[in-house]
Amino acid sequence: MPLGTQPDYDFETGISELTPRQATVWGFHSGRGSTLLSRTIMLQDLSKLMMAIPPGSETAVYANAIVDENCLGKPTVTTRGKSLGHLRKLYALDESVLFFRVFRDLWDRDRAGRPLLTVLLALTRDPLLRASFSAVAKTPIGSGLKQETFRFAMLNSVSHPISAISAAALVARASSSWAQSGHLSDARRKIRQVVMPTPAVATFALLIGYATGARGALLLETPWATVLDADCETLMELASEAHRQGLLTLMCMGDVIDVSFASLLTETEIERVDGLY
């Protein structure tokens, strides 16, 4: 399938079909609230936090690093607390949440993939970011993002009227977020760019699709896979490399594809997942 021809950018259907327990265990968040109403995806702050905290840490350790140790370099206790709240909302910062635990593992393995890993995790938790993706995806490579299209895509998901000034700020934060992920150029005129996913990034996208119930070849066509700007052939090549790296298990028999994640998840996590479906 050629780049850009995958038509389905509907994240919400897959999430809405999950039971509350499934959504909670994996780490999905639905509803109307959005960090984009006040912040971007905060890649720089998240990077500082990941540098300060070793994997396997308790949730309180993440909070203490931000508020007490000021690892983000914020000027006041109030701004530290707000930053903690935004980061928790976007990323959970709780390794009992499957997506965050896996994200943390892949983050430490794959420096080049960190921006895409970050936006994938943020997409599981922020509805306005999800709503904004269709405008990004439909913008031709090399063309500037149309602000009106971007604004329309998001404002349909806002539960209450917002002023023109607030709408402009929302668009600016959303476009900055997609620039942080690499989908848009980091310039005043946001130009659509092709991102370059790594095997670890492809693994994370496939895992998120798996969590919504996709199996086999359908994993290559979920909205989460579409975020990677890769056609199905490229995704299969990335999955094959991920298999060689021990990130997932890929079996192909003719047109039949089976993907499993036993090598990525802990035994406890596998037991939790097996009980969800």
Side-chain angles (χ1 to χ4, degrees), residues 100-134:
F100 180 70
R101 207 284 304 158
V102 171
F103 166 84
R104 185 65 219 252
D105 182 15
L106 297 176
W107 174 281
D108 291 331
R109 295 188 190 208
D110 183 14
R111 186 180 184 87
R114 289 174 180 177
L116 285 175
L117 290 170
T118 297
V119 81
L120 283 169
L121 181 55
L123 282 167
T124 67
R125 301 182 62 80
D126 195 288
L128 281 188
L129 187 66
R130 293 194 292 267
S132 72
F133 177 68
S134 62

PDB file of all heavy atoms in Angstrom, residues 100-134:
ATOM      1  N   PHE A 100       2.885   2.600  29.274  1.00  0.00           N
ATOM      2  CA  PHE A 100       3.999   3.384  29.783  1.00  0.00           C
ATOM      3  C   PHE A 100       5.195   2.500  30.108  1.00  0.00           C
ATOM      4  O   PHE A 100       6.345   2.882  29.848  1.00  0.00           O
ATOM      5  CB  PHE A 100       3.611   4.202  31.009  1.00  0.00           C
ATOM      6  CG  PHE A 100       4.764   5.032  31.540  1.00  0.00           C
ATOM      7  CD1 PHE A 100       5.225   6.121  30.824  1.00  0.00           C
ATOM      8  CD2 PHE A 100       5.398   4.693  32.727  1.00  0.00           C
ATOM      9  CE1 PHE A 100       6.312   6.872  31.282  1.00  0.00           C
ATOM     10  CE2 PHE A 100       6.480   5.442  33.193  1.00  0.00           C
ATOM     11  CZ  PHE A 100       6.927   6.530  32.469  1.00  0.00           C
ATOM     12  N   ARG A 101       4.959   1.326  30.672  1.00  0.00           N
ATOM     13  CA  ARG A 101       6.072   0.433  30.991  1.00  0.00           C
ATOM     14  C   ARG A 101       6.817   0.015  29.725  1.00  0.00           C
ATOM     15  O   ARG A 101       8.052   0.039  29.658  1.00  0.00           O
ATOM     16  CB  ARG A 101       5.546  -0.787  31.754  1.00  0.00           C
ATOM     17  CG  ARG A 101       6.571  -1.433  32.690  1.00  0.00           C
ATOM     18  CD  ARG A 101       7.619  -2.253  31.963  1.00  0.00           C
ATOM     19  NE  ARG A 101       7.007  -3.271  31.129  1.00  0.00           N
ATOM     20  CZ  ARG A 101       7.610  -3.838  30.100  1.00  0.00           C
ATOM     21  NH1 ARG A 101       8.845  -3.473  29.730  1.00  0.00           N
ATOM     22  NH2 ARG A 101       6.995  -4.755  29.373  1.00  0.00           N
ATOM     23  N   VAL A 102       6.054  -0.346  28.677  1.00  0.00           N
ATOM     24  CA  VAL A 102       6.681  -0.728  27.409  1.00  0.00           C
ATOM     25  C   VAL A 102       7.381   0.471  26.779  1.00  0.00           C
ATOM     26  O   VAL A 102       8.497   0.365  26.267  1.00  0.00           O
ATOM     27  CB  VAL A 102       5.626  -1.320  26.449  1.00  0.00           C
ATOM     28  CG1 VAL A 102       6.219  -1.523  25.050  1.00  0.00           C
ATOM     29  CG2 VAL A 102       5.100  -2.650  27.000  1.00  0.00           C
ATOM     30  N   PHE A 103       6.709   1.624  26.809  1.00  0.00           N
ATOM     31  CA  PHE A 103       7.326   2.851  26.305  1.00  0.00           C
ATOM     32  C   PHE A 103       8.670   3.098  26.987  1.00  0.00           C
ATOM     33  O   PHE A 103       9.662   3.432  26.334  1.00  0.00           O
ATOM     34  CB  PHE A 103       6.381   4.028  26.553  1.00  0.00           C
ATOM     35  CG  PHE A 103       7.008   5.387  26.398  1.00  0.00           C
ATOM     36  CD1 PHE A 103       7.125   5.976  25.157  1.00  0.00           C
ATOM     37  CD2 PHE A 103       7.484   6.083  27.513  1.00  0.00           C
ATOM     38  CE1 PHE A 103       7.707   7.239  25.011  1.00  0.00           C
ATOM     39  CE2 PHE A 103       8.062   7.334  27.380  1.00  0.00           C
ATOM     40  CZ  PHE A 103       8.176   7.914  26.120  1.00  0.00           C
ATOM     41  N   ARG A 104       8.702   2.941  28.300  1.00  0.00           N
ATOM     42  CA  ARG A 104       9.929   3.187  29.044  1.00  0.00           C
ATOM     43  C   ARG A 104      11.037   2.245  28.594  1.00  0.00           C
ATOM     44  O   ARG A 104      12.204   2.642  28.450  1.00  0.00           O
ATOM     45  CB  ARG A 104       9.655   3.021  30.546  1.00  0.00           C
ATOM     46  CG  ARG A 104      10.855   3.366  31.429  1.00  0.00           C
ATOM     47  CD  ARG A 104      11.169   4.849  31.267  1.00  0.00           C
ATOM     48  NE  ARG A 104      12.590   5.074  31.242  1.00  0.00           N
ATOM     49  CZ  ARG A 104      13.287   5.637  32.226  1.00  0.00           C
ATOM     50  NH1 ARG A 104      12.674   5.983  33.340  1.00  0.00           N
ATOM     51  NH2 ARG A 104      14.564   5.871  32.100  1.00  0.00           N
ATOM     52  N   ASP A 105      10.703   1.007  28.367  1.00  0.00           N
ATOM     53  CA  ASP A 105      11.671   0.016  27.893  1.00  0.00           C
ATOM     54  C   ASP A 105      12.195   0.397  26.510  1.00  0.00           C
ATOM     55  O   ASP A 105      13.417   0.424  26.270  1.00  0.00           O
ATOM     56  CB  ASP A 105      10.997  -1.358  27.856  1.00  0.00           C
ATOM     57  CG  ASP A 105      11.938  -2.469  27.421  1.00  0.00           C
ATOM     58  OD1 ASP A 105      13.162  -2.259  27.424  1.00  0.00           O
ATOM     59  OD2 ASP A 105      11.441  -3.561  27.089  1.00  0.00           O
ATOM     60  N   LEU A 106      11.276   0.710  25.592  1.00  0.00           N
ATOM     61  CA  LEU A 106      11.679   1.044  24.229  1.00  0.00           C
ATOM     62  C   LEU A 106      12.424   2.377  24.172  1.00  0.00           C
ATOM     63  O   LEU A 106      13.342   2.545  23.353  1.00  0.00           O
ATOM     64  CB  LEU A 106      10.451   1.078  23.313  1.00  0.00           C
ATOM     65  CG  LEU A 106       9.711  -0.260  23.163  1.00  0.00           C
ATOM     66  CD1 LEU A 106       8.451  -0.069  22.318  1.00  0.00           C
ATOM     67  CD2 LEU A 106      10.609  -1.323  22.557  1.00  0.00           C
ATOM     68  N   TRP A 107      12.047   3.326  25.024  1.00  0.00           N
ATOM     69  CA  TRP A 107      12.747   4.609  25.092  1.00  0.00           C
ATOM     70  C   TRP A 107      14.235   4.391  25.392  1.00  0.00           C
ATOM     71  O   TRP A 107      15.104   5.002  24.761  1.00  0.00           O
ATOM     72  CB  TRP A 107      12.114   5.471  26.177  1.00  0.00           C
ATOM     73  CG  TRP A 107      12.806   6.771  26.462  1.00  0.00           C
ATOM     74  CD1 TRP A 107      13.938   6.956  27.211  1.00  0.00           C
ATOM     75  CD2 TRP A 107      12.428   8.077  25.981  1.00  0.00           C
ATOM     76  NE1 TRP A 107      14.280   8.290  27.251  1.00  0.00           N
ATOM     77  CE2 TRP A 107      13.380   8.996  26.505  1.00  0.00           C
ATOM     78  CE3 TRP A 107      11.386   8.549  25.203  1.00  0.00           C
ATOM     79  CZ2 TRP A 107      13.304  10.374  26.254  1.00  0.00           C
ATOM     80  CZ3 TRP A 107      11.317   9.912  24.943  1.00  0.00           C
ATOM     81  CH2 TRP A 107      12.262  10.797  25.471  1.00  0.00           C
ATOM     82  N   ASP A 108      14.534   3.536  26.334  1.00  0.00           N
ATOM     83  CA  ASP A 108      15.928   3.294  26.706  1.00  0.00           C
ATOM     84  C   ASP A 108      16.683   2.512  25.643  1.00  0.00           C
ATOM     85  O   ASP A 108      17.906   2.617  25.535  1.00  0.00           O
ATOM     86  CB  ASP A 108      15.983   2.546  28.042  1.00  0.00           C
ATOM     87  CG  ASP A 108      15.530   3.418  29.210  1.00  0.00           C
ATOM     88  OD1 ASP A 108      15.692   4.649  29.131  1.00  0.00           O
ATOM     89  OD2 ASP A 108      15.000   2.877  30.190  1.00  0.00           O
ATOM     90  N   ARG A 109      15.974   1.747  24.825  1.00  0.00           N
ATOM     91  CA  ARG A 109      16.615   0.953  23.777  1.00  0.00           C
ATOM     92  C   ARG A 109      16.879   1.754  22.508  1.00  0.00           C
ATOM     93  O   ARG A 109      17.786   1.435  21.739  1.00  0.00           O
ATOM     94  CB  ARG A 109      15.729  -0.241  23.388  1.00  0.00           C
ATOM     95  CG  ARG A 109      15.512  -1.278  24.468  1.00  0.00           C
ATOM     96  CD  ARG A 109      14.784  -2.459  23.841  1.00  0.00           C
ATOM     97  NE  ARG A 109      14.312  -3.422  24.821  1.00  0.00           N
ATOM     98  CZ  ARG A 109      14.151  -4.713  24.557  1.00  0.00           C
ATOM     99  NH1 ARG A 109      14.432  -5.180  23.355  1.00  0.00           N
ATOM    100  NH2 ARG A 109      13.706  -5.530  25.475  1.00  0.00           N
ATOM    101  N   ASP A 110      16.051   2.753  22.245  1.00  0.00           N
ATOM    102  CA  ASP A 110      16.026   3.359  20.906  1.00  0.00           C
ATOM    103  C   ASP A 110      15.989   4.874  20.984  1.00  0.00           C
ATOM    104  O   ASP A 110      14.924   5.490  21.014  1.00  0.00           O
ATOM    105  CB  ASP A 110      14.800   2.836  20.149  1.00  0.00           C
ATOM    106  CG  ASP A 110      14.735   3.361  18.724  1.00  0.00           C
ATOM    107  OD1 ASP A 110      15.740   3.893  18.225  1.00  0.00           O
ATOM    108  OD2 ASP A 110      13.663   3.232  18.104  1.00  0.00           O
ATOM    109  N   ARG A 111      17.151   5.488  20.976  1.00  0.00           N
ATOM    110  CA  ARG A 111      17.236   6.947  21.055  1.00  0.00           C
ATOM    111  C   ARG A 111      16.605   7.614  19.834  1.00  0.00           C
ATOM    112  O   ARG A 111      15.871   8.604  19.970  1.00  0.00           O
ATOM    113  CB  ARG A 111      18.701   7.363  21.185  1.00  0.00           C
ATOM    114  CG  ARG A 111      18.902   8.853  21.411  1.00  0.00           C
ATOM    115  CD  ARG A 111      20.385   9.204  21.521  1.00  0.00           C
ATOM    116  NE  ARG A 111      20.570  10.600  21.826  1.00  0.00           N
ATOM    117  CZ  ARG A 111      20.595  11.114  23.052  1.00  0.00           C
ATOM    118  NH1 ARG A 111      20.455  10.309  24.098  1.00  0.00           N
ATOM    119  NH2 ARG A 111      20.745  12.409  23.253  1.00  0.00           N
ATOM    120  N   ALA A 112      16.866   7.068  18.648  1.00  0.00           N
ATOM    121  CA  ALA A 112      16.356   7.695  17.426  1.00  0.00           C
ATOM    122  C   ALA A 112      14.832   7.667  17.357  1.00  0.00           C
ATOM    123  O   ALA A 112      14.223   8.553  16.763  1.00  0.00           O
ATOM    124  CB  ALA A 112      16.944   6.989  16.198  1.00  0.00           C
ATOM    125  N   GLY A 113      14.222   6.674  17.970  1.00  0.00           N
ATOM    126  CA  GLY A 113      12.780   6.529  17.877  1.00  0.00           C
ATOM    127  C   GLY A 113      11.999   7.294  18.928  1.00  0.00           C
ATOM    128  O   GLY A 113      10.758   7.251  18.926  1.00  0.00           O
ATOM    129  N   ARG A 114      12.672   8.007  19.809  1.00  0.00           N
ATOM    130  CA  ARG A 114      11.978   8.624  20.942  1.00  0.00           C
ATOM    131  C   ARG A 114      10.866   9.604  20.568  1.00  0.00           C
ATOM    132  O   ARG A 114       9.793   9.575  21.184  1.00  0.00           O
ATOM    133  CB  ARG A 114      13.007   9.297  21.865  1.00  0.00           C
ATOM    134  CG  ARG A 114      13.850   8.287  22.632  1.00  0.00           C
ATOM    135  CD  ARG A 114      14.962   8.932  23.431  1.00  0.00           C
ATOM    136  NE  ARG A 114      15.744   7.918  24.137  1.00  0.00           N
ATOM    137  CZ  ARG A 114      16.822   8.174  24.868  1.00  0.00           C
ATOM    138  NH1 ARG A 114      17.245   9.440  24.989  1.00  0.00           N
ATOM    139  NH2 ARG A 114      17.475   7.201  25.472  1.00  0.00           N
ATOM    140  N   PRO A 115      11.048  10.486  19.597  1.00  0.00           N
ATOM    141  CA  PRO A 115       9.934  11.388  19.251  1.00  0.00           C
ATOM    142  C   PRO A 115       8.672  10.645  18.807  1.00  0.00           C
ATOM    143  O   PRO A 115       7.559  11.004  19.209  1.00  0.00           O
ATOM    144  CB  PRO A 115      10.512  12.247  18.128  1.00  0.00           C
ATOM    145  CG  PRO A 115      11.996  12.239  18.384  1.00  0.00           C
ATOM    146  CD  PRO A 115      12.292  10.854  18.865  1.00  0.00           C
ATOM    147  N   LEU A 116       8.836   9.594  17.994  1.00  0.00           N
ATOM    148  CA  LEU A 116       7.667   8.843  17.539  1.00  0.00           C
ATOM    149  C   LEU A 116       7.085   7.983  18.651  1.00  0.00           C
ATOM    150  O   LEU A 116       5.866   7.833  18.751  1.00  0.00           O
ATOM    151  CB  LEU A 116       8.033   7.979  16.329  1.00  0.00           C
ATOM    152  CG  LEU A 116       8.210   8.734  15.013  1.00  0.00           C
ATOM    153  CD1 LEU A 116       8.680   7.797  13.909  1.00  0.00           C
ATOM    154  CD2 LEU A 116       6.909   9.417  14.605  1.00  0.00           C
ATOM    155  N   LEU A 117       7.929   7.399  19.483  1.00  0.00           N
ATOM    156  CA  LEU A 117       7.421   6.658  20.633  1.00  0.00           C
ATOM    157  C   LEU A 117       6.572   7.579  21.516  1.00  0.00           C
ATOM    158  O   LEU A 117       5.511   7.193  22.010  1.00  0.00           O
ATOM    159  CB  LEU A 117       8.574   6.084  21.454  1.00  0.00           C
ATOM    160  CG  LEU A 117       9.373   4.936  20.827  1.00  0.00           C
ATOM    161  CD1 LEU A 117      10.620   4.644  21.664  1.00  0.00           C
ATOM    162  CD2 LEU A 117       8.514   3.683  20.707  1.00  0.00           C
ATOM    163  N   THR A 118       7.057   8.807  21.684  1.00  0.00           N
ATOM    164  CA  THR A 118       6.358   9.771  22.538  1.00  0.00           C
ATOM    165  C   THR A 118       4.995  10.132  21.978  1.00  0.00           C
ATOM    166  O   THR A 118       3.991  10.139  22.700  1.00  0.00           O
ATOM    167  CB  THR A 118       7.211  11.042  22.708  1.00  0.00           C
ATOM    168  OG1 THR A 118       8.428  10.691  23.378  1.00  0.00           O
ATOM    169  CG2 THR A 118       6.480  12.099  23.522  1.00  0.00           C
ATOM    170  N   VAL A 119       4.926  10.427  20.692  1.00  0.00           N
ATOM    171  CA  VAL A 119       3.636  10.840  20.137  1.00  0.00           C
ATOM    172  C   VAL A 119       2.667   9.660  20.104  1.00  0.00           C
ATOM    173  O   VAL A 119       1.456   9.839  20.288  1.00  0.00           O
ATOM    174  CB  VAL A 119       3.810  11.491  18.744  1.00  0.00           C
ATOM    175  CG1 VAL A 119       3.961  10.459  17.633  1.00  0.00           C
ATOM    176  CG2 VAL A 119       2.631  12.422  18.442  1.00  0.00           C
ATOM    177  N   LEU A 120       3.162   8.445  19.892  1.00  0.00           N
ATOM    178  CA  LEU A 120       2.278   7.280  19.935  1.00  0.00           C
ATOM    179  C   LEU A 120       1.653   7.120  21.316  1.00  0.00           C
ATOM    180  O   LEU A 120       0.449   6.877  21.447  1.00  0.00           O
ATOM    181  CB  LEU A 120       3.045   6.014  19.550  1.00  0.00           C
ATOM    182  CG  LEU A 120       3.325   5.803  18.062  1.00  0.00           C
ATOM    183  CD1 LEU A 120       4.308   4.656  17.865  1.00  0.00           C
ATOM    184  CD2 LEU A 120       2.033   5.528  17.294  1.00  0.00           C
ATOM    185  N   LEU A 121       2.475   7.249  22.357  1.00  0.00           N
ATOM    186  CA  LEU A 121       1.936   7.131  23.711  1.00  0.00           C
ATOM    187  C   LEU A 121       0.952   8.264  23.996  1.00  0.00           C
ATOM    188  O   LEU A 121      -0.123   8.042  24.571  1.00  0.00           O
ATOM    189  CB  LEU A 121       3.068   7.140  24.735  1.00  0.00           C
ATOM    190  CG  LEU A 121       2.655   6.995  26.201  1.00  0.00           C
ATOM    191  CD1 LEU A 121       1.822   5.744  26.429  1.00  0.00           C
ATOM    192  CD2 LEU A 121       3.883   6.994  27.113  1.00  0.00           C
ATOM    193  N   ALA A 122       1.305   9.483  23.591  1.00  0.00           N
ATOM    194  CA  ALA A 122       0.404  10.623  23.810  1.00  0.00           C
ATOM    195  C   ALA A 122      -0.921  10.421  23.086  1.00  0.00           C
ATOM    196  O   ALA A 122      -1.984  10.801  23.591  1.00  0.00           O
ATOM    197  CB  ALA A 122       1.075  11.912  23.354  1.00  0.00           C
ATOM    198  N   LEU A 123      -0.888   9.801  21.917  1.00  0.00           N
ATOM    199  CA  LEU A 123      -2.117   9.557  21.165  1.00  0.00           C
ATOM    200  C   LEU A 123      -3.053   8.589  21.892  1.00  0.00           C
ATOM    201  O   LEU A 123      -4.271   8.673  21.735  1.00  0.00           O
ATOM    202  CB  LEU A 123      -1.786   8.997  19.777  1.00  0.00           C
ATOM    203  CG  LEU A 123      -1.311  10.007  18.735  1.00  0.00           C
ATOM    204  CD1 LEU A 123      -0.714   9.281  17.540  1.00  0.00           C
ATOM    205  CD2 LEU A 123      -2.446  10.914  18.285  1.00  0.00           C
ATOM    206  N   THR A 124      -2.506   7.681  22.681  1.00  0.00           N
ATOM    207  CA  THR A 124      -3.378   6.761  23.415  1.00  0.00           C
ATOM    208  C   THR A 124      -4.129   7.465  24.531  1.00  0.00           C
ATOM    209  O   THR A 124      -5.101   6.937  25.064  1.00  0.00           O
ATOM    210  CB  THR A 124      -2.577   5.593  24.036  1.00  0.00           C
ATOM    211  OG1 THR A 124      -1.704   6.070  25.072  1.00  0.00           O
ATOM    212  CG2 THR A 124      -1.779   4.856  22.985  1.00  0.00           C
ATOM    213  N   ARG A 125      -3.698   8.705  24.871  1.00  0.00           N
ATOM    214  CA  ARG A 125      -4.222   9.360  26.061  1.00  0.00           C
ATOM    215  C   ARG A 125      -4.837  10.738  25.810  1.00  0.00           C
ATOM    216  O   ARG A 125      -5.480  11.275  26.713  1.00  0.00           O
ATOM    217  CB  ARG A 125      -3.098   9.479  27.098  1.00  0.00           C
ATOM    218  CG  ARG A 125      -2.527   8.111  27.488  1.00  0.00           C
ATOM    219  CD  ARG A 125      -1.459   8.216  28.553  1.00  0.00           C
ATOM    220  NE  ARG A 125      -1.962   8.763  29.792  1.00  0.00           N
ATOM    221  CZ  ARG A 125      -2.637   8.076  30.710  1.00  0.00           C
ATOM    222  NH1 ARG A 125      -2.920   6.797  30.516  1.00  0.00           N
ATOM    223  NH2 ARG A 125      -3.043   8.651  31.827  1.00  0.00           N
ATOM    224  N   ASP A 126      -4.636  11.319  24.642  1.00  0.00           N
ATOM    225  CA  ASP A 126      -5.139  12.677  24.414  1.00  0.00           C
ATOM    226  C   ASP A 126      -6.078  12.727  23.217  1.00  0.00           C
ATOM    227  O   ASP A 126      -5.645  12.584  22.064  1.00  0.00           O
ATOM    228  CB  ASP A 126      -3.978  13.641  24.203  1.00  0.00           C
ATOM    229  CG  ASP A 126      -4.431  15.086  24.320  1.00  0.00           C
ATOM    230  OD1 ASP A 126      -5.121  15.567  23.406  1.00  0.00           O
ATOM    231  OD2 ASP A 126      -4.113  15.733  25.338  1.00  0.00           O
ATOM    232  N   PRO A 127      -7.378  12.943  23.443  1.00  0.00           N
ATOM    233  CA  PRO A 127      -8.349  12.925  22.348  1.00  0.00           C
ATOM    234  C   PRO A 127      -8.181  14.041  21.325  1.00  0.00           C
ATOM    235  O   PRO A 127      -8.435  13.838  20.138  1.00  0.00           O
ATOM    236  CB  PRO A 127      -9.704  13.030  23.063  1.00  0.00           C
ATOM    237  CG  PRO A 127      -9.393  13.625  24.401  1.00  0.00           C
ATOM    238  CD  PRO A 127      -8.027  13.129  24.764  1.00  0.00           C
ATOM    239  N   LEU A 128      -7.758  15.221  21.748  1.00  0.00           N
ATOM    240  CA  LEU A 128      -7.566  16.303  20.777  1.00  0.00           C
ATOM    241  C   LEU A 128      -6.351  16.052  19.886  1.00  0.00           C
ATOM    242  O   LEU A 128      -6.354  16.407  18.706  1.00  0.00           O
ATOM    243  CB  LEU A 128      -7.426  17.646  21.487  1.00  0.00           C
ATOM    244  CG  LEU A 128      -8.717  18.300  21.972  1.00  0.00           C
ATOM    245  CD1 LEU A 128      -8.446  19.709  22.488  1.00  0.00           C
ATOM    246  CD2 LEU A 128      -9.762  18.337  20.876  1.00  0.00           C
ATOM    247  N   LEU A 129      -5.322  15.443  20.444  1.00  0.00           N
ATOM    248  CA  LEU A 129      -4.173  15.068  19.613  1.00  0.00           C
ATOM    249  C   LEU A 129      -4.603  14.045  18.574  1.00  0.00           C
ATOM    250  O   LEU A 129      -4.226  14.131  17.401  1.00  0.00           O
ATOM    251  CB  LEU A 129      -3.049  14.515  20.484  1.00  0.00           C
ATOM    252  CG  LEU A 129      -1.726  14.231  19.770  1.00  0.00           C
ATOM    253  CD1 LEU A 129      -1.084  15.522  19.258  1.00  0.00           C
ATOM    254  CD2 LEU A 129      -0.756  13.495  20.698  1.00  0.00           C
ATOM    255  N   ARG A 130      -5.426  13.087  19.002  1.00  0.00           N
ATOM    256  CA  ARG A 130      -5.943  12.102  18.046  1.00  0.00           C
ATOM    257  C   ARG A 130      -6.769  12.782  16.964  1.00  0.00           C
ATOM    258  O   ARG A 130      -6.658  12.458  15.780  1.00  0.00           O
ATOM    259  CB  ARG A 130      -6.783  11.041  18.773  1.00  0.00           C
ATOM    260  CG  ARG A 130      -5.988  10.153  19.707  1.00  0.00           C
ATOM    261  CD  ARG A 130      -6.777   8.926  20.135  1.00  0.00           C
ATOM    262  NE  ARG A 130      -7.913   9.194  20.990  1.00  0.00           N
ATOM    263  CZ  ARG A 130      -7.882   9.171  22.320  1.00  0.00           C
ATOM    264  NH1 ARG A 130      -6.734   8.913  22.941  1.00  0.00           N
ATOM    265  NH2 ARG A 130      -8.968   9.395  23.027  1.00  0.00           N
ATOM    266  N   ALA A 131      -7.609  13.730  17.364  1.00  0.00           N
ATOM    267  CA  ALA A 131      -8.462  14.423  16.389  1.00  0.00           C
ATOM    268  C   ALA A 131      -7.633  15.215  15.386  1.00  0.00           C
ATOM    269  O   ALA A 131      -8.003  15.343  14.217  1.00  0.00           O
ATOM    270  CB  ALA A 131      -9.433  15.351  17.117  1.00  0.00           C
ATOM    271  N   SER A 132      -6.506  15.735  15.827  1.00  0.00           N
ATOM    272  CA  SER A 132      -5.681  16.574  14.950  1.00  0.00           C
ATOM    273  C   SER A 132      -4.928  15.781  13.891  1.00  0.00           C
ATOM    274  O   SER A 132      -4.502  16.345  12.882  1.00  0.00           O
ATOM    275  CB  SER A 132      -4.683  17.375  15.792  1.00  0.00           C
ATOM    276  OG  SER A 132      -3.657  16.538  16.322  1.00  0.00           O
ATOM    277  N   PHE A 133      -4.769  14.474  14.105  1.00  0.00           N
ATOM    278  CA  PHE A 133      -3.912  13.704  13.198  1.00  0.00           C
ATOM    279  C   PHE A 133      -4.450  13.638  11.777  1.00  0.00           C
ATOM    280  O   PHE A 133      -3.673  13.614  10.823  1.00  0.00           O
ATOM    281  CB  PHE A 133      -3.685  12.282  13.728  1.00  0.00           C
ATOM    282  CG  PHE A 133      -2.867  11.447  12.786  1.00  0.00           C
ATOM    283  CD1 PHE A 133      -1.528  11.741  12.571  1.00  0.00           C
ATOM    284  CD2 PHE A 133      -3.440  10.390  12.090  1.00  0.00           C
ATOM    285  CE1 PHE A 133      -0.778  10.987  11.681  1.00  0.00           C
ATOM    286  CE2 PHE A 133      -2.694   9.631  11.210  1.00  0.00           C
ATOM    287  CZ  PHE A 133      -1.355   9.928  11.005  1.00  0.00           C
ATOM    288  N   SER A 134      -5.772  13.597  11.623  1.00  0.00           N
ATOM    289  CA  SER A 134      -6.315  13.470  10.271  1.00  0.00           C
ATOM    290  C   SER A 134      -5.859  14.618   9.383  1.00  0.00           C
ATOM    291  O   SER A 134      -5.536  14.416   8.206  1.00  0.00           O
ATOM    292  CB  SER A 134      -7.844  13.391  10.308  1.00  0.00           C
ATOM    293  OG  SER A 134      -8.396  14.580  10.852  1.00  0.00           O
TER     294      SER A 134
END
